Amino acid sequence: MNRREFLATASATALIPAAANAAATTRLIAAPVALRILPDGDELTKLLGFNGKSPGPEIRARQGERIEVAFENGLVQGSAIHWHGIHLENAMDGVPGLTQSVVEPGEAFEYSFEVPHPGTFWYHSHHRSWEQVAKGLYGPLIVEEIDPPLIDRDITVFVDDWRISRSGELQGDFGNLHDFSHAGRLGTFARALFSQDKVMLGDRLRLRLINASVARIFSLEIGGGSGVVAAHDGMPLPDVVPLGKEALQLAPAQRTDVILDVSGPVDFMLLTQQGPYELGTIVAEGTNPTPIEAPIGPLPSANLPIAVAEGSKSSTLVMQGGAMGGRHGGSDIWAFNDYSGLPEKPWRKFAIGEVARIELRNDTAFPHGIHLHGHHFHEIANDGSLGHYRDTTLVMHGQSQEILCMFDNPGKWLLHCHTLGHQASGMKTWIEVS
């Protein structure tokens, strides 16, 4: 990516549709849409969306509530919806070939599940996802705490990129061999999409950042205030981290919650080797007459069982293949442990409540964000301590990341790379909990 190729601009703002009422059945209709991705005055871009928009409507619920979604497929392709990061019933996970059948064009599917943990989650297509998510078939799913933190505004922020021409035409080279075998489908234009585009000076914001890109790792810088990082992948940090102390990096599908006290326009910058690019700005107008002065503390604990490493089962999952990745025993571009795609039998079986320590080893030339469905896991730091609690971990090329997971959700669960072209060309497997 260089300055001539990258078209990022902050002159246009697109709002995420208003929240759907989780107390009633939410109707989600997948269909083609035409939206303005480039600045005003440029052509519309033909995409896919839910209910006429991309991102789709924000679904909000309180912790412990049940969400009912009537999904209708108005596409010319089959589809299904995955509820990313939710510890839900296995039959509702939305993975064709593993937990349900494909929802064919003109057909419907009823999703119904409880949301046991508060946090920032999202929903997206899980059939031909390397194409359908890249075209915009996703939306936010927000689970509010029973005792939420004291803030003035709760704002969802998607970061995404699109491979489009300067006229706004989406380039249709989906699934090409170069993308699948290299870093994935990287866009030529990127921006931030907000659920609110105006704030006041002195406001305290909760910014829920979600990376909806199918391949791009976003290294972000947020200006216009001081604050803290409070959660990753929907799970609160035990101690907040001052914003800017650590790099704010989101692999595809990862989320981060930031609590920010506003002192000016809130701008979002993508940091690249060629310099920063502005993704978008939330305008600051007026002054909050009663700003919150209390210190920013941690979010309420998720109160999940603590996994203990001692005596846990150990396994190693090796990422193989891709360009410059050498030979492997799989049948496609990418493989886990010399096998490409979903095997007939699970990679591992775990008893309910069993704790496992898994080394994720990246023997390829590219980074991979590895996502486990239906669970979260602790990243294990170099000193052996338990790090962030996530559902997607980024493993850089030539490196390893150990994770510790308590498998307490019964069912068949997908484990895959969330660079979705890598998943489509072999980098996926599954585990069974019973």
Side-chain angles (χ1 to χ4, degrees), residues 30 35 61 63 82 139 142 150 168-169 179 193 198 228 267 269 290-291 300 304 378 380 386 394 397 406 411 416-417:
L35 302 174
Q63 180 182 3
H82 169 54
I142 307 301
L150 185 62
E169 182 180 2
D179 285 349
L193 308 169
K198 291 182 175 63
V228 302
D267 50 28
M269 308 297 291
T290 57
L304 291 168
H378 280 287
I380 300 178
L386 296 185
L394 178 62
H397 65 89
M406 177 179 287
H416 67 96
C417 177

Side-chain angles (χ1 to χ4, degrees), residues 95-369:
V95 181
L98 192 63
T99 67
Q100 69 169 86
S101 300
V102 171
V103 183
E104 299 292 350
E107 295 184 353
F109 191 90
E110 301 286 334
Y111 292 97
S112 175
F113 54 90
E114 290 185 0
V115 284
H117 310 300
T120 300
F121 307 102
W122 65 307
Y123 59 91
H124 61 81
S125 165
H126 220 294
H127 180 68
R128 295 181 63 88
S129 55
W130 44 272
E131 176 182 355
Q132 293 185 4
V133 176
K135 287 184 175 181
L137 209 57
Y138 60 81
L141 173 55
I142 307 301
V143 183
E144 299 173 346
E145 294 91 348
I146 295 174
D147 184 18
L150 185 62
I151 57 171
D152 294 300
R153 301 174 195 265
D154 190 331
I155 302 178
T156 302
V157 182
F158 271 110
V159 291
D160 197 1
D161 66 352
W162 301 261
R163 187 175 293 178
I164 53 180
S165 68
R166 292 180 181 272
S167 65
E169 182 180 2
L170 188 69
Q171 296 181 13
D173 54 342
F174 294 96
N176 70 75
L177 181 61
H178 183 275
D179 285 349
F180 274 15
S181 61
H182 288 73
R185 183 183 171 91
L186 298 171
T188 54
F189 178 88
R191 65 185 298 186
L193 308 169
F194 312 117
S195 60
Q196 300 178 45
D197 61 353
K198 291 182 175 63
V199 296
M200 300 178 72
L201 297 175
D203 276 352
R204 177 165 291 180
L205 311 180
R206 181 175 186 168
L207 300 172
R208 300 177 182 266
L209 309 176
I210 306 171
N211 182 359
S213 169
V214 296
R216 185 176 299 281
I217 300 168
F218 278 83
S219 293
L220 298 175
E221 185 176 86
I222 302 175
S226 60
V228 302
V229 174
H232 290 307
D233 288 358
M235 294 298 163
L237 303 182
D239 298 299
V240 297
V241 177
L243 188 62
K245 184 176 181 179
E246 299 178 359
L248 192 56
Q249 181 174 261
L250 277 76
Q254 287 187 328
R255 291 92 63 211
T256 291
D257 285 28
V258 170
I259 310 295
L260 186 81
D261 289 332
V262 177
S263 59
V266 182
D267 50 28
F268 296 81
M269 308 297 291
L270 170 62
L271 305 180
T272 77
Q273 293 181 347
Q274 291 77 35
Y277 290 88
E278 192 170 1
L279 297 172
T281 299
I282 300 174
V283 177
E285 294 183 350
T287 301
N288 187 331
T290 57
I292 299 170
E293 297 181 352
I296 303 173
L299 296 171
S301 171
N303 292 322
L304 291 168
I306 298 175
V308 178
E310 288 75 14
S312 59
K313 180 185 294 185
S314 295
S315 299
T316 300
L317 191 70
V318 183
M319 299 160 236
Q320 302 164 305
M324 302 169 288
R327 295 179 180 273
H328 60 78
S331 59
D332 210 332
I333 296 171
W334 303 94
F336 281 141
N337 292 7
D338 288 315
Y339 195 95
S340 300
L342 288 185
E344 290 186 8
K345 297 181 179 180
W347 172 62
R348 291 288 185 272
K349 289 185 176 182
F350 300 101
I352 294 176
E354 185 173 357
V355 176
R357 186 179 184 125
I358 301 173
E359 178 190 4
L360 303 172
R361 194 175 84 214
N362 186 351
D363 285 354
T364 80
F366 298 92
H368 302 284

Side-chain angles (χ1 to χ4, degrees), residues 358-427:
I358 301 173
E359 178 190 4
L360 303 172
R361 194 175 84 214
N362 186 351
D363 285 354
T364 80
F366 298 92
H368 302 284
I370 304 301
H371 171 49
L372 173 63
H373 286 216
H375 297 78
H376 279 66
F377 49 78
H378 280 287
E379 296 173 327
I380 300 178
N382 292 333
D383 63 2
S385 63
L386 296 185
H388 296 317
Y389 198 50
R390 313 203 69 136
D391 59 51
T392 306
T393 186
L394 178 62
V395 188
M396 304 305 292
H397 65 89
Q399 297 185 10
S400 294
Q401 173 64 63
E402 284 193 300
I403 63 173
L404 190 71
C405 182
M406 177 179 287
F407 290 97
D408 57 357
N409 197 359
K412 300 176 180 180
W413 301 106
L414 198 65
L415 177 62
H416 67 96
C417 177
H418 223 284
T419 299
L420 295 177
H422 296 172
Q423 173 198 246
S425 51
M427 196 172 282

